[in-house]
Amino acid sequence: MEYHKNTLLGGRAATMAGAYTAISDDASGAFYNPAGLTYAASSSFSGSANTYSTSKAVYKGVIDDRDWNRNASNLTPNYFGVVQKQGVHTFAFSYGVTDSFVENQDQQFQNLTGAVNPIDLFALNLHSEDHTYLIGPSYARKINEKMSWGVSAFYHYRIFRRSQAQLIKYTDGDDYSSYLNNTKKEKGFKPKFGLMLSPAPKWSVGATLSKTMILTGLSNTQLNEKLKAATNFQFSQIKRTTIRTTPYELETGVAWFK
């Protein structure tokens, strides 16, 4: 999740994979290659009402040779954009959810004999969400008939939430339980610069360079825990200011028009 998009923005782009970096001639081009916006046929508005995604992760043999199963599904209104052409200038404004992940786990394990203290019941309930939003303006202009450039200046906002409850009942009659809540928020900017070149008829090449610059980041973790052999819950809270270091992202694409 840290450095990639797990949702596809725009109907055409979703069917063309990385080749759309060499086209990008509609409003979704602000995310793929802003240089392509200058080739938009006219001023326009477009968007995706919803994107549905689903996945499943299986962690083999993590507890007494038994599997963890975590399911993820999400329905997201993830993109809209508007393009305005004014002579040789092309302006755009767009919003997109580039990452959206919702994960759930609800499992019970009984008669775990492989632990140091044999367990009658281990119950785990987990729900986590991770969403990244980009919103901002774009500008594009032709350099000549075969080349163009463009830039997007996105505001970046990411929020992560996780709630987790655990209950362990040991065979000796004792138990352990915990309730964890974790929230992470970060804000920043993501500029994206793009170039597009048509070196020959029916061919197009595109390249972009971008970097997410995190300005503020806050993590808040709350844990309410009853240890084995204890009679009361212990509450703890940790607040941290964390700023991730992100890499530069270089994207390229080539398209041939039949």
Side-chain angles (χ1 to χ4, degrees):
M1 277 292 295
E2 296 290 341
Y3 304 123
H4 72 283
K5 297 182 286 288
N6 76 346
T7 60
L8 300 174
L9 308 179
R12 291 178 64 208
T15 62
M16 299 181 70
Y20 202 66
T21 303
I23 303 174
S24 300
D25 58 357
D26 62 18
S28 66
F31 297 96
Y32 293 94
N33 187 348
L37 293 171
T38 192
Y39 299 107
S42 61
S43 299
S44 63
F45 172 86
S46 62
S48 299
N50 286 286
T51 296
Y52 178 73
S53 60
T54 181
S55 64
K56 180 178 181 178
V58 178
Y59 301 85
K60 294 288 187 179
V62 294
I63 298 182
D64 209 11
D65 295 326
R66 304 184 197 183
D67 300 342
W68 276 12
N69 298 308
R70 291 187 176 177
N71 299 300
S73 61
N74 199 17
L75 185 64
T76 308
N78 75 327
Y79 151 75
F80 79 83
V82 59
V83 177
Q84 179 66 46
K85 298 181 73 69
Q86 294 183 358
V88 298
H89 308 285
T90 302
F91 302 91
F93 188 85
S94 50
Y95 157 86
V97 183
T98 56
D99 285 284
S100 186
F101 187 75
V102 179
E103 185 180 46
N104 294 284
Q105 182 178 1
D106 185 6
Q107 282 188 276
Q108 293 185 4
F109 303 89
Q110 295 179 324
N111 302 319
L112 300 176
T113 59
V116 176
N117 297 314
I119 294 172
D120 281 338
L121 173 68
F122 172 54
L124 176 62
N125 302 96
L126 176 143
H127 176 84
S128 61
E129 299 183 11
D130 196 346
H131 306 289
T132 300
Y133 306 88
L134 296 178
I135 185 170
S138 303
Y139 173 78
R141 184 172 180 175
K142 288 185 179 180
I143 299 174
N144 52 46
E145 290 303 315
K146 293 186 176 182
M147 184 177 293
S148 65
W149 68 275
V151 62
S152 294
F154 293 118
Y155 170 72
H156 165 93
Y157 177 71
R158 181 188 179 194
I159 182 165
F160 170 86
R161 299 185 183 95
R162 170 167 289 180
S163 298
Q164 178 176 305
Q166 294 187 74
L167 171 64
I168 301 175
K169 290 187 176 181
Y170 297 94
T171 55
D172 61 6
D174 211 339
D175 62 74
Y176 165 89
S177 58
S178 66
Y179 305 91
L180 173 71
N181 283 285
N182 178 230
T183 301
K184 298 177 183 178
K185 297 180 181 180
E186 63 181 26
K187 301 175 183 179
F189 291 94
K190 184 174 184 177
K192 189 165 195 173
F193 178 77
L195 289 172
M196 193 169 292
L197 172 67
S198 298
K202 299 185 179 182
W203 286 93
S204 180
V205 180
T208 65
L209 180 65
S210 62
K211 179 178 173 61
T212 302
M213 297 180 289
I214 309 300
L215 301 181
T216 63
L218 177 64
S219 173
N220 184 13
T221 302
Q222 296 178 333
L223 177 63
N224 203 13
E225 184 178 39
K226 177 189 173 298
L227 300 175
K228 189 176 186 295
T231 57
N232 298 317
F233 279 86
Q234 298 179 354
F235 176 79
S236 61
Q237 179 173 268
I238 300 176
K239 291 185 177 182
R240 293 176 179 171
T241 299
T242 58
I243 297 179
R244 290 188 300 134
T245 300
T246 63
Y248 285 94
E249 301 173 40
L250 176 64
E251 301 174 37
T252 60
V254 178
W256 176 67
F257 299 89
K258 182 179 179 180

